[in-house]
Amino acid sequence: VGGTDPYSPLPWPYLVGADPPWIDGRAVAAASWVRAHLPAGSICAADRTDAPAVAAIGLVNPAQGLQGGQSVPYLYFSPTFDSRDLATIAAFGIRYILVDLRLSTDVPHVGIYFSPEEPLAGHYTHPIPRNDLTKFAKAPGLNRIYDDGEIQIYQVNTNFGS
């Protein structure tokens, strides 16, 4: 057995913030649902482990990096859904937000949940608070369209923010 990471070549349970090749059955099921139900090429916010699955299997484009002074990780790290979330959604043209509640169970194994631009990249001492991830269920302008108990997908209403 060979590989660059001790967890990559073996069938271990899901690892939070592992390298993108670490995609489990839940991520594959969500990505398969995305392919069957969402328009190809749509922009979807997702963490670094789930993003490759929804891109390769679901045929959507993950929102990544910085745009218009906004960063996708902010959506997940803020305790409330606020005007900066709206600005982030608008800057990236996000139509869907994938939330993996398992991010609240551990710090990321490779030091980042999303991208190097996130606030504590490489320096996490505790996981993302679950409340920061569950806020989307109550956010105006978002509709939960997929929920397997751990992975949820929200659709951004087309008139969101207007």
Side-chain angles (χ1 to χ4, degrees):
V1 177
T4 58
D5 299 310
Y7 49 83
S8 294
L10 301 172
W12 299 102
Y14 171 80
L15 294 175
V16 172
D19 284 327
W22 187 260
I23 298 171
D24 71 345
R26 282 188 186 274
V28 170
S32 297
W33 184 91
V34 165
R35 184 175 185 148
H37 295 93
L38 304 183
S42 299
I43 299 177
C44 181
D47 63 274
R48 77 175 267 125
T49 304
D50 293 309
V54 296
I57 298 168
L59 304 178
V60 296
N61 297 322
Q64 297 177 327
L66 297 169
Q67 291 204 28
Q70 303 301 319
S71 172
V72 171
Y74 180 81
L75 290 172
Y76 299 88
F77 292 122
S78 62
T80 59
F81 196 82
D82 58 26
S83 61
R84 187 166 170 197
D85 293 297
L86 177 61
T88 300
I89 288 168
F92 286 88
I94 294 170
R95 295 287 298 129
Y96 304 97
I97 301 171
L98 184 147
V99 179
D100 194 328
L101 297 175
R102 297 174 296 177
L103 298 179
S104 68
T105 65
D106 201 0
V107 296
H109 281 72
V110 296
I112 58 176
Y113 290 102
F114 300 92
S115 65
E117 295 86 22
E118 61 196 58
L120 294 173
H123 302 287
Y124 290 99
T125 57
H126 60 279
I128 299 173
R130 191 169 180 94
N131 286 342
D132 290 6
L133 301 174
T134 59
K135 69 180 175 223
F136 298 102
K138 298 175 195 158
L142 299 182
N143 295 320
R144 186 169 40 213
I145 57 174
Y146 177 88
D147 189 344
D148 79 350
E150 294 292 341
I151 296 178
Q152 301 169 341
I153 300 173
Y154 294 87
Q155 180 177 28
V156 178
N157 290 339
T158 54
N159 60 354
F160 189 63
S162 48

